[in-house]
Amino acid sequence: MFTGIIETIGRIEDIVQENENLHFFVSSAISDELKIDQSVAHNGICLTVVDINNNIYKVTAIKETIDKTTIGSWNKGDLVNLERAMKLGDRLDGHIVQGHVDQTGICKSIIDANGSKYFTFEYDSINQNITIEKGSITVNGVSLTVVDSKDNQFSVAIIPYTFDNTNFKTIKVGTKVNLEFDVIGKYVSKLYSTK
């Protein structure tokens, strides 16, 4: 479980394909604190640390993850948002995040709002995921509050701190992102869709 509060940004140092799996070698400010078997969210994707060598650690993505997230489009040099799993007893500053990406979305617009920025994302309705105004959403692993919700589209406001300390600064119109919808909202939506 995660909170959606990004700890640091990692850099993809290398990518190696092995059969249908992709191995990612990542450097970061927290690399020396990681342990093998530890879960780390990478742009919201929960991946297991399988090897550590100096400041670079290795994680592996299977075909299922590659097919359902943006990870297959990552390149050497890309920046990814990193968060280690939360500890019991810690403050839950964001919201409950599983690290299981529901689907991808596309940035449709970015509006400068005198200090903050409004990002609008669109997603396919095939999975029946929903957002609500003032509800929670995770974009590339970042816990955010929905400020505007429409069918298959939502907007979030990004404060300067979040913009500077996550990979939101690399998102442009047309950029594909990982989306994890609010876990409580998913259960409620499922209950109503089965009645």
Side-chain angles (χ1 to χ4, degrees), residues 145-192:
T145 300
V146 175
V147 295
D148 186 32
S149 177
K150 297 180 177 148
D151 289 343
N152 311 331
Q153 193 176 76
F154 66 91
S155 298
V156 292
I158 303 298
I159 62 173
Y161 179 86
T162 303
F163 186 81
D164 292 339
N165 291 281
T166 69
N167 67 3
F168 258 88
K169 60 183 163 276
T170 67
I171 296 175
K172 298 177 176 29
V173 171
T175 298
K176 201 182 225 190
V177 295
N178 293 317
L179 301 176
E180 181 180 333
F181 293 81
D182 180 61
V183 67
I184 296 167
K186 287 189 283 190
Y187 278 105
V188 171
S189 178
K190 182 76 170 174
L191 281 171
Y192 279 105

Side-chain angles (χ1 to χ4, degrees), residues 9-192:
I9 296 175
R11 178 184 165 86
I12 307 294
E13 300 295 345
D14 201 7
I15 303 168
V16 175
Q17 183 162 0
E18 181 183 22
N19 299 319
E20 290 190 330
N21 295 338
L22 288 175
H23 303 291
F24 293 87
F25 296 83
V26 183
S27 64
S28 76
I30 61 170
S31 295
D32 61 342
E33 300 172 31
L34 299 178
K35 296 179 173 77
I36 291 174
D37 289 336
Q38 191 169 11
S39 294
V40 179
H42 298 71
N43 275 3
I45 306 164
C46 180
L47 298 169
T48 302
V49 176
V50 296
D51 191 27
I52 303 170
N53 188 356
N54 295 322
N55 191 42
I56 296 176
Y57 66 92
K58 175 182 167 186
V59 292
T60 300
I62 62 172
K63 186 176 186 314
E64 169 87 1
T65 304
I66 296 164
D67 289 346
K68 293 190 174 175
T69 70
T70 62
I71 203 167
S73 65
W74 293 0
N75 295 301
K76 188 175 175 179
D78 281 355
L79 302 178
V80 292
N81 296 323
L82 301 179
E83 180 192 359
R84 288 177 281 185
M86 68 177 177
K87 297 180 197 173
L88 286 176
D90 277 359
R91 288 185 181 91
L92 182 60
D93 291 322
H95 71 282
I96 296 171
V97 177
Q98 295 179 297
H100 304 156
V101 173
D102 294 305
Q103 65 185 94
T104 59
I106 295 175
C107 181
K108 299 305 279 183
S109 71
I110 303 169
I111 299 170
D112 194 339
N114 291 324
S116 295
K117 294 182 187 299
Y118 286 91
F119 285 74
T120 299
F121 297 97
E122 187 175 81
Y123 58 93
D124 193 332
S125 64
I126 195 163
N127 296 324
Q128 298 179 331
N129 289 313
I130 60 166
T131 60
I132 60 167
E133 288 183 25
K134 307 296 185 276
S136 297
I137 185 74
T138 307
V139 177
N140 275 357
V142 182
S143 172
L144 298 165
T145 300
V146 175
V147 295
D148 186 32
S149 177
K150 297 180 177 148
D151 289 343
N152 311 331
Q153 193 176 76
F154 66 91
S155 298
V156 292
I158 303 298
I159 62 173
Y161 179 86
T162 303
F163 186 81
D164 292 339
N165 291 281
T166 69
N167 67 3
F168 258 88
K169 60 183 163 276
T170 67
I171 296 175
K172 298 177 176 29
V173 171
T175 298
K176 201 182 225 190
V177 295
N178 293 317
L179 301 176
E180 181 180 333
F181 293 81
D182 180 61
V183 67
I184 296 167
K186 287 189 283 190
Y187 278 105
V188 171
S189 178
K190 182 76 170 174
L191 281 171
Y192 279 105

